[in-house]
């Protein structure tokens, strides 16, 4: 949606427009949190595999092999 389209949508029904914007923002934030948690979990698995001596598996899991 372009700037003028946003302005028209906000002018027509501000409550609906801002509710949609808030929902989109919350969805994007939730996706960022999920991505960060998944990356952290992968990093933890890689560290654990390295600790127990499975460096090759750790490197493959990390995408470096």
């Amino acid at each position: 949606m372009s700037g003028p389209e946003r302005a028209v949508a906000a002018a027509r029904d501000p409550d609906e427009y801002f509710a949609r914007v808030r929902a989109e923002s919350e969805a994007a934030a939730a996706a960022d949190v999920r991505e960060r948690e998944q990356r952290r979990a992968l990093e933890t698995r890689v560290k654990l595999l390295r600790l127990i001596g499975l460096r090759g598996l750790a490197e493959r899991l990390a995408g470096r092999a």
Side-chain angles (χ1 to χ4, degrees):
M1 187 181 291
S2 69
E5 290 171 332
R6 286 187 186 128
V8 169
R12 284 189 185 144
D13 191 349
D15 292 334
E16 180 182 333
Y17 172 75
F18 289 112
R20 184 169 41 87
V21 168
R22 184 173 44 253
E24 290 171 357
S25 176
E26 289 171 355
D32 288 344
V33 168
R34 279 191 304 275
E35 181 180 323
R36 202 171 23 251
E37 288 173 347
Q38 289 173 349
R39 186 174 48 248
R40 195 173 305 132
L42 175 62
E43 290 169 354
T44 300
R45 285 187 210 111
V46 168
K47 286 178 186 176
L48 288 172
L49 288 169
R50 286 180 181 148
L51 275 174
I52 62 173
L54 298 174
R55 183 169 299 277
L57 182 57
E59 297 304 319
R60 281 196 303 270
L61 188 59
R64 296 185 190 138

